C-alpha cells in the first residue's frame, strides 16, 4: 500500500537544522566595512553581570529621607543620565516607590580593564548638579561646557520649583503638542527674566540645560520670560518630555542617594563560569542523545532531532533571533535552566515512546501503535508540563521586572515586597518557561510529525525498531513490584530521614547567606603568598574590627583567593571598599590582587527577600494543589492533591537537609532549587495520577484502589526512572564542571537540585500514591462505606483466572481483549482512511511610522 506523507520527516529535519545553524552563527549583511545583523546568533546574546562582570546596587535617599514618587523618578533620571555619561547603555533599573529604593544592575564596559565599580557607585549616588547656562559651547572631546557657556550660569537646580511634562495647545491656532513647563522660584524668576530679555535680542540666543557636565537640552529664547513660568517646546513625544522633566526635577532634589546594598563581580570570574557551563551543556546534550537512541532506537533518533530544535529555539529566544521578541539577559542560572530543560525535555518523548512500546506488545500494528502512543501520552505530558509552567511563572513574577506579565498577574501575592533583587533567579525562570513551551512544539508536535512520516518508509517498518518484540522472542515479564503493600517500610524510611535532618539542624545549625541575613563578603584573587596578619590589619583599618579572612584555591586561574567576611550583618561602604582594594594592591604590588566578587546586603533587604522567597514557595504549592484537585476530581482530586503536596514537602525537606549537612548557606539558589523540584516532582506524580485515571476508566470497579494504584505505579516506573536519569545526568555534568572551575554558586545550585531529582522520583513512586491509598482506606473505615481497600483487593485477586502467561504486556495486566481489538480496528481503520487521502500535516504560517515635528526646541513664556 502506498504511504503518503514521507516528505514531512525531511522537511521538519531540514527546518530544525536550519534553525540550529542560523541560531549559532546568525546572518549578517555586509556593505563595505559596515556589517548589519539580520539574524542574531549566539554571539549577540546579552550576558548578565555574573558572566560579564558588573554591579548590582540598591540606592536609597540618604539620612532616611522619605521621597515622593516624583522625586524617585527624578533620582532615577539622574542615574540614567550619569550611566550614559560613563558610556554604560546596557543596564537594568527598577524603581520601588513604596520602599524609596532604586535597584540598578549594569555590566562592565566591553574591553574595560581598569573600571572601578566602587567609584562608579559613588558617582551615581552623588547629588545632581543642575545648571541653566548661556549659549551651548561644548568641549568636543569631553562634552563639558566651555567658553561663555562655562562662565555664565543663569540658574541652578534650587531656582527651579517644578518641571512638568504637559500635552496641550501652546497657542490658539496650534495643534496640541508635548512640552515641558517650568515653575521658578522668586529669585530664579528675576534672574531668568534678565537673561531671557538679553538673549531674546540676539540671533539664535540659547539657554542650555546641564546635568553635571552633560548637556541635556538647548532651547532657543524667543522672548523675555518674566512671570516665573516658562515652557520648552519642540520635537517632543510623551516619553522624551517626561524624561527631560525628570532630569530637571532631579536638580532640585532635597537629598543625595546612598548605596545601602551592592554586589560586584569581575569579568575574569564570569568568563571562567561561562566556559564551564558551556562545556557542561554540550556534554549533557551528547549524553542524553546517546541514551535516548540506545534505549528507544528510532523514536530515540527522532527525539534527539527534536531536542536539537528545542535547544536551538531556547538560544534563539535569548539572543533576540525573533525580531518580535526582545533579547534577554542570560545569567549562569539561566544557562543551568537551559541544561535542565534539555534534560526534562525528553520526558514527553520518554512517555510516548513507552506508550508506543506498550501498544506494539499488546498486538497492535505499527501505524496504530504510533498514533495510539501519542494519543495516550498526551494527557500526562500536558499535565506534567503545566505544573512546571506554574513554577516558572512564579519565578518570573516574583523575581523579575515589575512590568512583566507574570509580575502584574501575581501582584496581589507579592505587592508588599516591591521589585525583584534577584535577576539571576528571574533568568532561570525564563529559560525554564521557554523550555517547556518549546517542548510542546518540538517534543510533541514535531516528534509526532517526524515519527509518523519516518514510519512510512518501507525500510523503517520493523516493529522491533520502535520497541516491539522480535518474532519468536517471548514477552518479558512486566514490572510487578508491590509498592503499596510495602508502603509502611517507605514511610518509616522517610520518617527516619526527616528525623535525621531535624537532628542535624540542631547539631550543625543553619547558615543564612548575606542575601537573606544581610552582611558583606568580599573575595579577592592573588598570585603567590600574602601575609595574613598584615592583611588582617589592612582590613581592620578599612572596614572595622572583627572581619574574618580565609584563603582558598582558584582552580580556573591557578592562583589563590582571599575571602573577607564581616561579622554579623555589618555592611561596608563603597568608599571603604575602594580604599581597601587600593591598600592591598599597594602592599602586595607583585601579587596581582584583583577584586573578584562583593556581596554587600543590608539586613532589612535580606530579611524582606527571604520572606518573599517563602511566599513564592507557598504560592506555588497552593496553585499546584488547586490544579491537581481540578484535573483529577473524578478520582478524588483533593485527597490526591494533598498527598502530592505531602510528597513535595518531603522532597523540599530533603533538599534543605543537603544544605544543612554540607553547611551551604541558604540563599536565592536554595529557593530556585526548591521551586524547580516542586515542578519536577509534581510532574512525576501527575504522570502516575494520569495512569490511575486511565486505568479507572479501563477497569472500572474490577480492581480495588490499592491494586489500581500499584498497577499504575508499575506501568509508569520506566518513565520515571529514565527521565530521572537524563535530568540527573544533565545536572551531574554541571556539578562536575562547577567543581573543576571552582564555581561554588553554581555547585550549590546544581547539586541540591540533583539530589532533589532523585528524591522526587522516590517520593512519587513510594510516598504520594501509597499515602493516597492509606488515607482513602482510613476514610472508608471511618465513614463505613463498604469494605476496606485491603479486603476489596483480596476479593479482586480471588477472581483472577489462573491463565498461562501470554506474550502480551497488556494481556498480563488483564486489559479486556475485546477492547484491544476494537481499538486496533478503529485506529487501523483511521490510518487506512488517511492513507487513501492526501495526508495533511501541520505547517507553520508565515507570519506607522510616527511623524515628528522638525526644528529646534524653543524656550518661551508659559501663560499657564
Amino acid at each position: 500500500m502506498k504511504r503518503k506523507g514521507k516528505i514531512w520527516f525531511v522537511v521538519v529535519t531540514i527546518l530544525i537544522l536550519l534553525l540550529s545553524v542560523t541560531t549559532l552563527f546568525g546572518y549578517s549583511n555586509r556593505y563595505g566595512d559596515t556589517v548589519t545583523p539580520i539574524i542574531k546568533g549566539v554571539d549577540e546574546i546579552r550576558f548578565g553581570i555574573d558572566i560579564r562582570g558588573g554591579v548590582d546596587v540598591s540606592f536609597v535617599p540618604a539620612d532616611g529621607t522619605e521621597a515622593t514618587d516624583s522625586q524617585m523618578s527624578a533620582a532615577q533620571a539622574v542615574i540614567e543620565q550619569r550611566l550614559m555619561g560613563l558610556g554604560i547603555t546596557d543596564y537594568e533599573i527598577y524603581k520601588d516607590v513604596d520602599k524609596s529604593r532604586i535597584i540598578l544592575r549594569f555590566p562592565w564596559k566591553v574591553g574595560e580593564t581598569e573600571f572601578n565599580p566602587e567609584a562608579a557607585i559613588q558617582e551615581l549616588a552623588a547629588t545632581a548638579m543642575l545648571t541653566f547656562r548661556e549659549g551651548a559651547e561644548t568641549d568636543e572631546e569631553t562634552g563639558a561646557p566651555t567658553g561663555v557657556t562655562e562662565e555664565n550660569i543663569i540658574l541652578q537646580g534650587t531656582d527651579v520649583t517644578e518641571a512638568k511634562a504637559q500635552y496641550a495647545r501652546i497657542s490658539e491656532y496650534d495643534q496640541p503638542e508635548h512640552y515641558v513647563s517650568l515653575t521658578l522660584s522668586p529669585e530664579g524668576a528675576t534672574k531668568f527674566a534678565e537673561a531671557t530679555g538679553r538673549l531674546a535680542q540676539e540671533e539664535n540666543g540659547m539657554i542650555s540645560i546641564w546635568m553635571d557636565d552633560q548637556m541635556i537640552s538647548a532651547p532657543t529664547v524667543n522672548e523675555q520670560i518674566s512671570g516665573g513660568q516658562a515652557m520648552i517646546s519642540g520635537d517632543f513625544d510623551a516619553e522624551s518630555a517626561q524624561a527631560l522633566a525628570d532630569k530637571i526635577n532631579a536638580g532640585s532634589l532635597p537629598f543625595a542617594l546612598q548605596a545601602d546594598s551592592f554586589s560586584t563581580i569581575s569579568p575574569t570570574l564570569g568568563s571562567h563560569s561561562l566556559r564551564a557551563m558551556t562545556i557542561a551543556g554540550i556534554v549533557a546534550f551528547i549524553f542524553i542523545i546517546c541514551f535516548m537512541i540506545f534505549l528507544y532506537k528510532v523514536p530515540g533518533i527522532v527525539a534527539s532531532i527534536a531536542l536539537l530544535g528545542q535547544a536551538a529555539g531556547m538560544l534563539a529566544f535569548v539572543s533576540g533571533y525573533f525580531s518580535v521578541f526582545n533579547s534577554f539577559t542570560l545569567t549562569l542560572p539561566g544557562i543551568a535552566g537551559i541544561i535542565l530543560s534539555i534534560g526534562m525535555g525528553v520526558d514527553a518523548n520518554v512517555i510516548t515512546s513507552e506508550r508506543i512500546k506498550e501498544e506494539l506488545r499488546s498486538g497492535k500494528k505499527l501505524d496504530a501503535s504510533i498514533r495510539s502512543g501519542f494519543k495516550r501520552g498526551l494527557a500526562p505530558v500536558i499535565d506534567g508540563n503545566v505544573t512546571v509552567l506554574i513554577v516558572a511563572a512564579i519565578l518570573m513574577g516574583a523575581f523579575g521586572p515589575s512590568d512583566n506579565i507574570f509580575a502584574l498577574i501575581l501582584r496581589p501575592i507579592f505587592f508588599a515586597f516591591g521589585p525583584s533583587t534577584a535577576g539571576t533567579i528571574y533568568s532561570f525562570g525564563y529559560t525554564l518557561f521557554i523550555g517547556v513551551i518549546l517542548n510542546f512544539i518540538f517534543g510533541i508536535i514535531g516528534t509526532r510529525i517526524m515519527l509518523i512520516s519516518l514510519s512510512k518508509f518501507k525500510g523503517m517498518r520493523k516493529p522491533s525498531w520502535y520497541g516491539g518484540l522480535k518474532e519468536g522472542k517471548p514477552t518479558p515479564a512486566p514490572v510487578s513490584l508491590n509498592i503499596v503493600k510495602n508502603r509502611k517500610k517507605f514511610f518509616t524510611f522517610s520518617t527516619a530521614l526527616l528525623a535525621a535532618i531535624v537532628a542535624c539542624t540542631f547539631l550543625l545549625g543553619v547558615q543564612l547567606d548575606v542575601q537573606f541575613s544581610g552582611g558583606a563578603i568580599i573575595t579577592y584573587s592573588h598570585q603567590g603568598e600574602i601575609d595574613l596578619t598584615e592583611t588582617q590589619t589592612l582590613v581592620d583599618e578599612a572596614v572595622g574590627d572583627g572581619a574574618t579572612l580565609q584563603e582558598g584555591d582558584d582552580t580556573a586561574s591557578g592562583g589563590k583567593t582571599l575571602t573577607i567576611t564581616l561579622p554579623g550583618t555589618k555592611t561596608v561602604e563603597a568608599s571603604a571598599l575602594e580604599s581597601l582594594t587600593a591598600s592591598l594592591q599597594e602592599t602586595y604590588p607583585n601579587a596581582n590582587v584583583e577584586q573578584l566578587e562583593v556581596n554587600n546586603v543590608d539586613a532589612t533587604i535580606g530579611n524582606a527577600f527571604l520572606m518573599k522567597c517563602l511566599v513564592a514557595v507557598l504560592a506555588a504549592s497552593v496553585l499546584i494543589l488547586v490544579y491537581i484537585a481540578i484535573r483529577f476530581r473524578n478520582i478524588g482530586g483533593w485527597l490526591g492533591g494533598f498527598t502530592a503536596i505531602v510528597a513535595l514537602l518531603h522532597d523540599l525537606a530533603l533538599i534543605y537537609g543537603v544544605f544543612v549537612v554540607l553547611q551551604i548557606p541558604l540563599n536565592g539558589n536554595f529557593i530556585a532549587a526548591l521551586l524547580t523540584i516542586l515542578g519536577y516532582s509534581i510532574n512525576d506524580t501527575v504522570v502516575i495520577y494520569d495512569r490511575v485515571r486511565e486505568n479507572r476508566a479501563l477497569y472500572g470497579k474490577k480492581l480495588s484502589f490499592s491494586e489500581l494504584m500499584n498497577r499504575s505505579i508499575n506501568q509508569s516506573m520506566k518513565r520515571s526512572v529514565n527521565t530521572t536519569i537524563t535530568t540527573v545526568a544533565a545536572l551531574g555534568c554541571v556539578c562536575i564542571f562547577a567543581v573543576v572551575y571552582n564555581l561554588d554558586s553554581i555547585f550549590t545550585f546544581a547539586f541540591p537540585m540533583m539530589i532533589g531529582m532523585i528524591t522526587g522520583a522516590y517520593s512519587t513512586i513510594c510516598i504520594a500514591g501509597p499515602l493516597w491509598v492509606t488515607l482513602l482506606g482510613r476514610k472508608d473505615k471511618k465513614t463505613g462505606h463498604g469494605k476496606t481497600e485491603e479486603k476489596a483487593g483480596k476479593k479482586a485477586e480471588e477472581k483472577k483466572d489462573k491463565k498461562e502467561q501470554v506474550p502480551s504486556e497488556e494481556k498480563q495486566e488483564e486489559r479486556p481483549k475485546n477492547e484491544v481489538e476494537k481499538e486496533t480496528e478503529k485506529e487501523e481503520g483511521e490510518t487506512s482512511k488517511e492513507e487513501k487521502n492526501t495526508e495533511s500535516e501541520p505547517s507553520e504560517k508565515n507570519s506607522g511610522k510616527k511623524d515628528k515635528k522638525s526644528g529646534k526646541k524653543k524656550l518661551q513664556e508659559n501663560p499657564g
Side-chain angles (χ1 to χ4, degrees):
M1 182 181 294
K2 184 178 180 181
R3 293 179 173 83
K4 301 179 180 179
K6 297 180 181 180
I7 191 63
W8 284 108
F9 172 77
V10 179
V11 170
V12 175
T13 302
I14 290 176
L15 289 175
I16 288 176
L17 291 176
L18 186 63
L19 173 65
S20 302
V21 171
T22 53
T23 298
L24 287 175
F25 303 104
Y27 178 73
S28 301
N29 181 31
R30 178 179 292 274
Y31 182 77
D33 295 333
T34 304
V35 178
T36 305
I38 297 175
I39 297 177
K40 294 182 178 180
V42 292
D43 57 340
E44 297 288 334
I45 291 177
R46 185 177 67 207
F47 292 107
I49 63 173
D50 58 343
I51 296 175
R52 289 176 59 183
V55 178
D56 187 338
V57 56
S58 294
F59 290 111
V60 296
D63 303 322
T65 303
E66 293 292 333
T68 64
D69 189 359
S70 61
Q71 288 174 337
M72 293 302 294
S73 296
Q76 178 177 333
V78 172
I79 292 174
E80 291 177 327
Q81 180 67 27
R82 287 173 173 168
L83 286 169
M84 297 295 289
L86 290 170
I88 300 170
T89 58
D90 187 12
Y91 59 85
E92 301 174 37
I93 189 166
Y94 313 107
K95 180 181 64 175
D96 184 359
V97 178
D98 295 334
K99 300 184 183 301
S100 297
R101 183 173 55 174
I102 295 174
I103 302 162
L104 171 67
R105 300 187 189 97
F106 62 90
W108 290 56
K109 292 185 288 185
V110 177
E112 179 66 65
T113 57
E114 298 182 357
F115 182 71
N116 188 328
E118 285 74 37
I121 291 173
Q122 294 179 73
E123 183 176 343
L124 292 171
T127 304
M129 295 297 295
L130 179 76
T131 55
F132 285 60
R133 297 172 180 266
E134 181 177 334
E137 297 182 25
T138 59
D139 185 283
E140 293 182 358
E141 294 184 1
T142 64
T146 186
V148 175
T149 304
E150 181 183 15
E151 296 171 358
N152 296 333
I153 297 177
I154 298 171
L155 297 177
Q156 293 184 336
T158 54
D159 294 320
V160 182
T161 304
E162 183 183 31
K164 185 181 297 183
Q166 304 276 14
Y167 180 73
R169 296 177 187 270
I170 292 180
S171 67
E172 182 179 354
Y173 304 103
D174 291 335
Q175 293 294 325
E177 64 177 286
H178 294 280
Y179 63 92
V180 177
S181 67
L182 302 176
T183 302
L184 307 178
S185 67
E187 288 186 14
T190 302
K191 290 186 286 187
F192 207 56
E194 186 277 325
T196 53
R198 175 168 46 83
L199 293 173
Q201 305 301 318
E202 299 180 6
E203 184 178 357
N204 294 326
M206 284 186 178
I207 292 181
S208 55
I209 307 174
W210 296 76
M211 176 66 68
D212 300 326
D213 284 333
Q214 297 292 319
M215 186 168 61
I216 60 177
S217 186
T220 57
V221 180
N222 287 345
E223 59 188 5
Q224 184 179 29
I225 302 172
S226 57
Q229 296 285 331
M231 66 173 67
I232 304 172
S233 62
D235 190 12
F236 282 118
D237 57 18
E239 184 177 354
S240 59
Q242 185 62 55
L244 179 59
D246 286 340
K247 291 173 184 176
I248 295 174
N249 284 328
S252 58
L253 285 178
F255 57 82
L257 294 173
Q258 67 181 26
D260 66 340
S261 298
F262 64 91
S263 300
T264 66
I265 188 168
S266 79
T268 303
L269 185 61
S271 63
H272 292 319
S273 303
L274 178 60
R275 186 183 306 113
M277 296 298 286
T278 301
I279 297 174
I282 293 173
V283 172
F285 185 77
I286 293 173
F287 173 83
I288 292 170
I289 286 178
C290 294
F291 179 80
M292 290 296 293
I293 294 175
F294 172 78
L295 206 62
Y296 296 112
K297 300 179 178 63
V298 173
I301 294 173
V302 171
S304 299
I305 297 173
L307 201 61
L308 176 63
Q310 179 179 334
M314 295 181 71
L315 292 175
F317 270 97
V318 170
S319 68
Y321 179 98
F322 304 104
S323 58
V324 293
F325 299 104
N326 295 327
S327 59
F328 186 80
T329 302
L330 186 62
T331 64
L332 289 177
I335 297 175
I338 293 177
I339 298 173
L340 180 61
S341 296
I342 291 173
M344 296 175 64
V346 299
D347 183 54
N349 302 115
V350 170
I351 290 175
T352 53
S353 297
E354 288 291 340
R355 285 304 184 106
I356 290 171
K357 184 190 296 185
E358 287 182 13
E359 299 300 321
L360 284 170
R361 296 185 181 187
S362 70
K364 288 186 179 182
K365 293 185 178 180
L366 180 60
D367 293 331
S369 295
I370 292 175
R371 295 183 184 279
S372 180
F374 278 102
K375 180 181 178 181
R376 292 179 178 276
L378 184 61
V381 169
I382 291 176
D383 285 333
N385 282 329
V386 166
T387 56
V388 180
L389 284 177
I390 290 174
V391 169
I394 291 287
L395 288 169
M396 294 173 68
F399 305 107
S402 56
D403 58 350
N404 80 78
I405 182 64
F406 297 109
L408 296 175
I409 293 173
L410 298 173
R411 183 168 177 76
I413 299 176
F414 299 108
F415 71 94
F417 300 102
S420 165
T421 56
T424 53
I425 300 180
Y426 172 64
S427 177
F428 175 74
Y430 177 85
T431 52
L432 198 63
F433 185 86
I434 294 299
V436 173
I437 297 297
L438 292 176
N439 188 31
F440 276 107
I441 297 173
F442 291 100
I444 300 176
I445 300 174
T447 300
R448 183 178 184 276
I449 294 172
M450 287 191 289
L451 193 59
I452 291 176
S453 173
L454 191 60
S455 68
K456 296 180 184 299
F457 288 88
K458 186 176 180 180
M460 304 296 295
R461 300 282 301 168
K462 291 186 178 180
S464 60
W465 291 358
Y466 298 82
L469 296 171
K470 294 182 179 180
E471 292 185 9
K473 186 176 181 180
T475 303
V479 177
S480 183
L481 301 175
N482 203 331
I483 301 295
V484 174
K485 181 180 179 181
N486 293 291
R487 59 188 182 274
K488 291 183 179 179
K489 297 178 182 178
F490 299 123
F491 295 165
T492 302
F493 174 70
S494 294
T495 302
L497 279 179
L498 296 176
I501 291 172
V502 173
C504 289
T505 300
F506 284 103
L507 294 174
L508 302 177
V510 179
Q511 296 186 34
L512 293 180
D513 188 81
V514 296
Q515 195 175 21
F516 284 165
S517 64
I521 298 178
I522 310 162
T523 304
Y524 291 95
S525 67
H526 65 89
Q527 301 292 328
E529 299 295 330
I530 63 173
D531 186 339
L532 288 182
T533 303
E534 185 178 9
T535 302
Q536 182 75 61
T537 302
L538 295 175
V539 172
D540 291 343
E541 290 175 355
V543 301
D545 297 337
T548 57
L549 277 61
Q550 182 178 2
E551 279 200 300
D553 295 323
D554 186 357
T555 308
S557 65
K560 293 186 176 182
T561 60
L562 172 67
T563 302
I564 303 170
T565 305
L566 270 64
T569 58
K570 183 179 178 182
T571 57
V572 58
E573 294 183 358
S575 57
L577 184 57
E578 183 181 15
S579 174
L580 173 60
T581 303
S583 297
L584 290 173
Q585 292 173 343
E586 182 179 349
T587 305
Y588 306 107
N590 299 321
N592 295 324
V593 177
E594 179 186 354
Q595 181 181 300
L596 286 182
E597 190 173 7
V598 177
N599 287 305
N600 191 62
V601 181
D602 180 79
T604 303
I605 293 178
N607 293 333
F609 183 67
L610 173 60
M611 291 303 300
K612 186 175 187 178
C613 290
L614 296 177
V615 171
V617 173
L618 179 61
S621 301
V622 171
L623 289 175
I624 289 173
L625 173 62
V626 171
Y627 178 79
I628 291 178
I630 294 173
R631 286 292 288 142
F632 300 98
R633 58 188 179 279
N634 293 334
I635 55 172
W638 284 108
L639 190 57
F642 172 75
T643 57
I645 294 298
V646 171
L648 288 180
L649 295 176
H650 166 275
D651 298 336
L652 301 188
L654 292 181
I655 294 176
Y656 162 78
V658 172
F659 275 82
V660 171
V661 172
L662 298 182
Q663 289 292 280
I664 302 173
L666 303 185
N667 55 15
N669 286 346
F670 169 69
I671 299 300
L674 291 187
L675 288 171
T676 304
I677 296 304
L678 273 177
Y680 174 83
S681 183
I682 201 66
N683 184 337
D684 250 2
T685 305
V686 163
V687 170
I688 293 179
Y689 284 8
D690 264 303
R691 200 64 181 241
V692 172
R693 181 172 54 189
E694 181 182 328
N695 285 334
R696 170 71 83 185
L698 183 63
Y699 295 103
K701 296 183 179 180
K702 293 180 181 179
L703 299 177
S704 67
F705 189 74
S706 174
E707 187 177 11
L708 196 69
M709 179 63 72
N710 202 69
R711 180 166 300 210
S712 300
I713 291 173
N714 279 280
Q715 289 172 331
S716 304
M717 192 170 295
K718 283 186 179 179
R719 174 263 163 200
S720 297
V721 172
N722 291 339
T723 301
T724 301
I725 289 174
T726 59
T727 51
V728 168
L731 289 170
C733 291
V734 175
C735 288
I736 292 171
F737 283 93
V739 171
V740 171
Y741 283 84
N742 197 31
L743 304 177
D744 288 340
S745 62
I746 296 300
F747 178 80
T748 57
F749 171 73
F751 182 73
M753 193 178 295
M754 185 174 69
I755 299 300
M757 296 292 174
I758 297 173
T759 62
Y762 164 76
S763 68
T764 292
I765 295 171
C766 303
I767 302 296
L771 181 60
W772 191 352
V773 171
T774 301
L775 295 179
L776 187 62
R778 291 184 177 180
K779 180 180 177 182
D780 286 344
K781 290 179 182 179
K782 193 173 182 178
T783 57
H785 289 168
K787 301 178 180 179
T788 63
E789 288 294 328
E790 289 78 3
K791 291 182 179 179
K794 289 180 182 179
K795 187 174 181 180
E797 289 289 341
E798 292 172 358
K799 289 183 179 180
K800 287 186 177 180
D801 296 326
K802 297 180 180 180
K803 297 181 180 180
E804 294 182 359
Q805 181 176 341
V806 292
S808 167
E809 204 168 350
E810 286 287 347
K811 289 178 182 178
Q812 289 175 338
E813 293 174 352
E814 288 191 357
R815 186 175 176 183
K817 181 178 179 181
N818 60 343
E819 184 170 340
V820 175
E821 292 174 348
K822 287 180 182 179
E823 286 185 5
T824 304
E825 292 172 2
K826 180 179 178 182
E827 291 174 5
E828 289 180 356
E830 291 175 354
T831 303
S832 300
K833 184 178 179 181
E834 290 176 2
E835 289 169 351
K836 291 178 182 179
N837 301 297
T838 301
E839 185 165 306
S840 175
E841 297 287 357
S843 62
E844 294 187 14
K845 294 182 180 180
N846 299 325
S847 56
K849 293 185 179 179
K850 185 177 178 181
D851 292 333
K852 293 185 177 179
K853 296 183 180 181
S854 61
K856 298 180 179 178
K857 294 183 175 65
K858 298 176 182 179
L859 182 64
Q860 60 195 79
E861 187 161 10
N862 183 0

